[in-house]
Amino acid sequence: MKFVAVSLVSMSMFHFALAQQGARSEISFNRDIRPIFSETCFNCHGPDEASREEDLRFDIPESAFAEREGGYFAIVPGDPKASEAWLLISDPDPEYRMPPPKSHLVLSDEQKATIEQWILEGAKYESHWAFEVPQKESLPDAMSSEWSDSPIDRFVGERLKEEGLSPNDEADRRTLIRRLSFDLTGLPPTLQEIDTFLEDHSPDAYESLVDRLLDSPHYGERMALYWMDQARYADTNGYSRDGG
């Protein structure tokens, strides 16, 4: 089994986001649009009836696509210029632009472009991800036969190929056990654990090492650490009412 370490530190988050967007074949409502609407639109045009305005909802297509009083439509799939919502979002006059200035919410140019592209692609809605039937992704072929048979590494390999990068050489066994031990237990491997792994030449030596570390109580401590920190378990006087 081979592992890859890829650094994208030199790429700014903005360019990384654009690269991600460019790699996508189609805008997804749940992935790309719902977060934007939730942040900037749902307060006035979402599921909360108490705060809803103009009896318009952008979280469901039945409302977003419905004909409005006056014969216009908030969203016309495939036609941003006929979509009143898009015209208001892109209006250069702040007096008419949505979201309104009094909301103190602003759509970035990138978010506007994403919404426009979504409408152009047909404004396809999706139910909440929790109600979507999971679909198994087909495994990419990129470099898989050359350096790894791991399904996860195939996706890594595909991205490396897109970026014009190649995998690192396989790490030596001492490095592998050290990385894995820190990842799963937060502790360095003991000398005995290193020797045991180095002497194990079976095809599933690495998998056996993973199983041993997962069975360690230190793995449970490692996983519980984040929850304990969140619960302020480490604090001796965390809350004002705990003083004494």
Side-chain angles (χ1 to χ4, degrees):
M1 182 179 295
K2 297 185 178 180
F3 296 84
V4 179
V6 182
S7 173
L8 293 176
V9 175
S10 59
M11 181 182 290
S12 69
M13 291 304 296
F14 176 73
H15 287 95
F16 179 72
L18 290 182
Q20 286 283 76
Q21 188 63 52
R24 295 171 182 165
S25 58
E26 187 175 83
I27 300 293
S28 164
F29 179 78
N30 279 343
R31 182 191 63 212
D32 305 309
I33 301 299
R34 189 188 293 274
I36 299 175
F37 282 177
S38 179
E39 179 183 347
T40 60
C41 305
F42 282 176
N43 187 52
C44 297
H45 302 295
D48 188 353
E49 186 175 356
S51 63
R52 191 181 307 142
E53 297 185 9
E54 304 296 333
D55 194 28
L56 173 62
R57 298 178 60 173
F58 286 132
D59 59 317
I60 55 175
E62 294 83 0
S63 179
F65 296 163
E67 184 174 359
R68 314 291 300 166
E69 184 178 350
Y72 68 89
F73 297 83
I75 296 178
V76 178
D79 192 349
K81 293 183 179 179
S83 303
E84 189 69 16
W86 169 248
L87 295 178
L88 292 174
I89 286 172
S90 58
D91 197 310
D93 189 339
E95 183 178 350
Y96 298 102
R97 188 187 310 142
M98 290 291 166
K102 65 179 181 180
S103 71
H104 303 292
L105 299 172
V106 178
L107 285 165
S108 68
D109 290 340
E110 185 179 354
Q111 288 174 322
K112 291 179 182 179
T114 300
I115 294 173
E116 182 182 24
Q117 184 62 29
W118 173 65
I119 296 175
L120 282 169
E121 292 176 359
K124 298 176 184 177
Y125 273 81
E126 298 166 317
S127 60
H128 191 278
W129 65 265
F131 303 106
E132 290 284 329
V133 178
Q135 301 293 327
K136 188 174 182 179
E137 287 279 348
S138 58
L139 295 178
D141 295 326
M143 296 189 290
S144 59
S145 60
E146 301 175 25
W147 63 282
S148 177
D149 292 325
S150 166
I152 294 177
D153 283 348
R154 290 197 186 189
F155 288 99
V156 175
E158 182 181 46
R159 182 57 188 273
L160 287 174
K161 188 175 182 179
E162 292 174 1
E163 298 294 334
L165 302 174
S166 58
N168 290 341
D169 293 333
E170 181 178 5
D172 62 82
R173 292 170 69 85
R174 289 180 182 273
T175 301
L176 286 179
I177 187 174
R178 183 175 175 83
R179 288 176 180 171
L180 188 64
S181 295
F182 275 117
D183 283 344
L184 295 184
T185 69
L187 299 171
T190 65
L191 292 176
Q192 183 178 356
E193 288 172 333
I194 294 174
D195 291 339
T196 299
F197 181 56
L198 294 179
E199 293 169 3
D200 186 352
H201 300 290
S202 61
D204 60 347
Y206 188 85
E207 287 74 9
S208 297
L209 173 62
V210 172
D211 291 337
R212 287 198 300 273
L213 292 174
L214 291 178
D215 286 338
S216 166
H218 299 306
Y219 169 71
E221 294 165 356
R222 173 76 162 166
M223 294 298 102
L225 178 64
Y226 307 104
W227 295 102
M228 292 171 68
D229 285 345
Q230 287 296 318
R232 307 182 77 167
Y233 235 92
D235 290 351
T236 57
N237 188 15
Y239 297 99
S240 58
R241 62 177 180 271
D242 293 340

